[in-house]
Amino acid sequence: MTPVDTLEANARPLPPTDVTVKDTPNDGGGAITVAWNPSPDDHKGGKVKGYSVFRAEYIDDQPGEFTLVGERPAGKDEYSNDDGNTADGIRYVYKVAALNRVTTETGEVREFVSESAVTLPVTSSPQWFHKRRVNVMVAVILLSFFIVYYIRQAKAGKKLFIRRIAGMEAVDEAVGRATEMGKKIFYISGLGDMDNMQTIASLTILGRVAELAAEYETYLDVPVCRSLVMVTGREVVKEAYSKAGRPDAFKPDQVHYLTDDQFGYAAAVDGMFVREKPATIFYMGQFYAESLILAETGNSIGAIQIAGTAMPAQLPFFVAACDYTLIGEELFAASSYLSKEPKLLGSLKGQDIGKGIILVALIIGVILESFGVWQLSNLFMVK
């Protein structure tokens, strides 16, 4: 036996065995999983450096040309082409090769490969249902059920209990105070446009404030910084005045545009505050750095101020300078509560029930896992 034959006999690894292929489960198609029993030489100090996975189309019951589609290091026994390079409906065959690299005495690097047998044909296809996400489906069904149930309850005229929020309870008081003092009310809807959820919630609250202002015959002034908000705000206020039986009291100029510029808008509103000294100011919507400028000016003239925003960075300023502040999601809850719209009230109540279930699960899970009884968190894992 020549030295070359001796080197090959010592360096060539045994091939992997029992190579199996299957359509990767719980996916959107385009993936096939290949598994194998590692080479007997795949161990610490063994001859296997890694595995190469080859694939060929299977046409007319014959495999075509094999191409390298993936590699795995020694010790691995599975490969999945989840890159979407596999076409659904086409039959493929695979083979896996064990690879070893040896450096000879002359410094030459030589590779020794041992290939497995060719697998049976397999095709990939998408699945309709991801079995590992049953927990998500159950959660969606439960939450949807609660929301639909409470919407039906609200439409049937049943009174839904909504937790009290001080800022919501103070709206009537704030409007009444302006009426007693004979001064106007300012409503600031923030810098957001009509594609912002905070602005939509703000205009819903504006409807309730405008209705109260119409009933109390108190002037409501709504300066805005977006043209679309002005158009929508006018319709909201006009409808509220009609709902209160005072359509004649509505004036289109009550909702008026100032400027799109952030600090130009803040300066203009501050000037109006100082000149007209309103009794009540509402800040509801999306705010940025101008929040403290506005709220401090309103505070300096002695106005009662109610703010609400989901902008975390601005909340401390409103809490410090205003009488009441709706924090985060309380802004959206207030829009549902004040509008009395069944769909909004039912959605709010259903979401609260969902949050309550999650809170109870958290408490039970902490207790069970603290005492090593059962890992409840497994039910909430999404793979």
Side-chain angles (χ1 to χ4, degrees):
M1 180 176 290
T2 66
V4 174
D5 294 334
T6 303
L7 174 63
E8 180 159 348
N10 292 333
R12 184 175 295 281
L14 292 171
T17 58
D18 296 333
V19 181
T20 59
V21 288
K22 65 178 180 181
D23 179 22
T24 302
N26 303 315
D27 69 350
I32 291 173
T33 300
V34 185
W36 59 86
N37 286 333
S39 164
D41 293 322
D42 185 359
H43 53 79
K44 187 175 182 181
K47 302 176 186 177
V48 177
K49 301 299 183 187
Y51 296 96
S52 299
V53 181
F54 297 89
R55 180 179 65 204
E57 291 189 22
Y58 195 71
I59 304 172
D60 297 331
D61 295 334
Q62 294 292 329
E65 182 180 356
F66 280 92
T67 56
L68 178 66
V69 293
E71 295 179 324
R72 287 291 182 268
K76 298 296 183 182
D77 59 2
E78 188 176 285
Y79 165 81
S80 178
N81 68 316
D82 51 5
D83 53 7
N85 288 332
T86 301
D88 294 339
I90 294 181
R91 296 198 297 173
Y92 295 98
V93 290
Y94 287 81
K95 62 182 180 181
V96 181
L99 173 67
N100 189 18
R101 292 188 181 89
V102 176
T103 303
T104 64
E105 293 179 353
T106 61
E108 179 188 4
V109 178
R110 295 193 57 187
E111 290 188 351
F112 298 92
V113 176
S114 296
E115 295 181 348
S116 69
V118 177
T119 66
L120 295 172
V122 63
T123 59
S124 63
S125 61
Q127 279 74 55
W128 287 98
F129 191 77
H130 196 322
K131 295 179 181 176
R132 295 178 181 174
R133 296 189 177 179
V134 174
N135 53 354
V136 177
M137 184 186 71
V138 172
V140 170
I141 291 174
L142 273 178
L143 185 59
S144 301
F145 169 78
F146 287 127
I147 290 175
V148 172
Y149 173 76
Y150 283 110
I151 287 176
R152 292 175 65 89
Q153 293 284 305
K155 284 184 175 179
K158 294 187 178 180
K159 188 175 182 180
L160 301 180
F161 172 76
I162 304 293
R163 61 188 172 88
R164 294 170 61 89
I165 299 176
M168 293 191 298
E169 302 295 329
V171 170
D172 287 21
E173 173 195 342
V175 175
R177 181 173 185 265
T179 305
E180 291 173 356
M181 296 178 68
K183 295 183 178 180
K184 65 166 53 175
I185 300 168
F186 270 98
Y187 191 96
I188 312 300
S189 59
L191 298 183
D193 212 331
M194 286 311 302
D195 59 349
N196 187 287
M197 287 302 297
Q198 295 182 69
T199 305
I200 295 173
S202 173
L203 292 183
T204 305
I205 297 172
L206 171 62
R208 176 58 181 166
V209 173
E211 190 177 343
L212 286 173
E215 290 175 358
Y216 296 167
E217 299 182 9
T218 304
Y219 191 79
L220 174 66
D221 198 337
V222 189
V224 301
C225 65
R226 297 286 184 268
S227 55
L228 283 178
V229 176
M230 179 189 72
V231 174
T232 310
R234 278 181 179 169
E235 291 301 315
V236 169
V237 174
K238 183 179 179 180
E239 182 182 348
Y241 273 66
S242 298
K243 195 174 178 181
R246 296 295 312 279
D248 56 308
F250 169 72
K251 295 179 175 57
D253 290 345
Q254 284 182 260
V255 185
H256 53 100
Y257 171 80
L258 293 178
T259 173
D260 277 47
D261 183 75
Q262 178 186 11
F263 291 105
Y265 175 73
V269 172
D270 276 352
M272 296 167 71
F273 285 174
V274 173
R275 289 192 302 273
E276 303 183 30
K277 292 185 171 46
T280 301
I281 303 173
F282 292 93
Y283 307 97
M284 298 287 175
Q286 186 180 39
F287 291 87
Y288 294 98
E290 77 287 351
S291 63
L292 184 60
I293 300 172
L294 296 172
E296 276 296 320
T297 304
N299 184 276
S300 69
I301 60 173
I304 181 172
Q305 300 189 106
I306 301 176
T309 185
M311 304 296 285
Q314 309 309 319
L315 284 171
F317 303 136
F318 280 139
V319 171
C322 295
D323 299 275
Y324 301 95
T325 303
L326 303 175
I327 299 174
E329 66 173 11
E330 290 181 350
L331 171 65
F332 306 106
S335 67
S336 305
Y337 181 81
L338 294 175
S339 68
K340 307 297 183 185
E341 166 62 33
K343 291 180 180 176
L344 295 177
L345 276 176
S347 299
L348 177 64
K349 184 70 175 177
Q351 291 175 50
D352 281 348
I353 295 296
K355 291 172 188 174
I357 292 174
I358 293 174
L359 182 61
V360 171
L362 282 173
I363 295 172
I364 295 174
V366 167
I367 295 172
L368 292 178
E369 297 199 24
S370 297
F371 290 97
V373 178
W374 186 46
Q375 289 189 327
L376 186 68
S377 57
N378 289 337
L379 295 177
F380 297 88
M381 292 183 66
V382 179
K383 299 178 181 177

